[in-house]
Amino acid sequence: MPTVWWRDAEPGRGLAVDFRPHSHHWQVMRQVRASDTESGTLPLGDAQILFAMTSWGDGIFAVQVDRDAAGHLLAVRITLAEG
């Protein structure tokens, strides 16, 4: 019997389990769940990664970077929907 039988036996029942406390996903999701902004950061190699929850769901979103004349980062813009 598939492992989803318990969930499907009663409408509205759900279960989420994550057994990987060592993973980057688990580490950032701990911050997201505790944050008023539903966001978190983590180091990954030489980068600092920002993770933010949105109501837009999974997808690929356009990202633009604005820099000054010297090439320094001024802003990062993410387009969630065309409009």
Side-chain angles (χ1 to χ4, degrees):
M1 183 174 270
T3 57
V4 296
W5 71 267
W6 181 87
R7 182 198 64 205
D8 295 341
E10 184 176 322
R13 181 183 282 176
L15 177 67
V17 179
D18 192 344
F19 294 108
R20 302 164 294 156
H22 61 280
S23 73
H24 292 109
H25 176 262
W26 190 89
Q27 293 170 13
V28 79
M29 285 305 296
R30 180 175 41 195
Q31 294 178 36
V32 168
R33 290 182 190 109
S35 168
D36 290 338
T37 60
E38 294 186 306
S39 62
T41 62
L42 61 93
L44 188 59
D46 293 336
Q48 186 73 9
I49 304 298
L50 167 66
F51 184 91
M53 300 292 284
T54 73
S55 61
W56 292 90
D58 294 338
I60 298 173
F61 306 106
V63 177
Q64 293 87 34
V65 174
D66 297 330
R67 297 186 180 274
D68 66 12
H72 298 110
L73 181 65
L74 295 174
V76 176
R77 293 178 287 124
I78 302 170
T79 304
L80 297 177
E82 297 297 325

